[in-house]
C-alpha cells in the first residue's frame, strides 16, 4: 500500500529520531520488532485453529481476537518502514 504524504512525513521524522539512538538501542528495537512481527502471525493462526478445534465461542476465541488486534496495530505501525 502506498503511503500518503502525512505517512511519509511521519516515517521521515521517525527515521530521524531512530538515527539519534546509540547503535545498541537501535539494534535492540530492530530485533524486537522483527521477533514480534515474525511470531505474531503464527500465534494468531494457531489460536484460530485451536479455537475451531475446541468449538464455537470457546475461551480461545477472545484470545484470538486480542492477538488479531495486536497484528492489526502492528500493521499500522510505521516502525517497520524504518528498521
Amino acid at each position: 500500500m502506498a503511503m500518503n504524504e502525512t505517512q511519509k512525513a511521519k516515517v521521515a521524522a521517525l527515521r530521524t529520531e531512530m538515527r539519534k539512538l546509540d547503535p545498541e538501542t537501535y539494534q535492540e528495537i530492530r530485533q524486537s520488532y522483527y521477533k514480534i512481527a515474525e511470531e505474531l502471525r503464527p500465534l494468531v493462526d494457531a489460536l484460530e485453529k485451536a479455537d475451531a478445534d475446541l468449538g464455537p465461542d470457546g475461551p480461545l476465541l477472545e484470545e484470538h481476537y486480542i492477538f488479531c488486534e495486536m497484528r492489526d496495530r502492528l500493521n499500522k505501525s510505521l516502525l517497520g518502514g524504518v528498521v
Side-chain angles (χ1 to χ4, degrees):
M1 181 171 95
M3 285 192 276
N4 62 37
E5 293 304 314
T6 301
Q7 290 170 318
K8 288 178 185 178
K10 287 181 179 181
V11 167
L14 183 58
R15 185 172 285 122
T16 297
E17 292 303 306
M18 292 293 289
R19 287 182 179 151
K20 294 178 184 177
L21 298 172
D22 64 86
E24 285 182 25
T25 301
Y26 178 90
Q27 190 62 17
E28 182 178 350
I29 291 169
R30 183 179 186 280
Q31 288 175 340
S32 296
Y33 174 85
Y34 281 108
K35 281 181 187 177
I36 291 168
E38 289 173 8
E39 296 299 327
L40 193 53
R41 179 54 154 184
L43 176 58
V44 168
D45 292 344
L47 284 168
E48 181 178 29
K49 182 184 181 314
D51 176 64
D53 291 345
L54 294 177
D57 300 324
L60 292 177
L61 182 61
E62 185 175 343
E63 294 300 315
H64 175 245
Y65 287 144
I66 290 168
F67 286 97
C68 283
E69 289 175 11
M70 288 176 67
R71 184 193 60 210
D72 293 344
R73 297 294 295 172
L74 183 67
N75 289 338
K76 291 178 182 178
S77 170
L78 300 174
L79 188 60
V82 174
V83 298

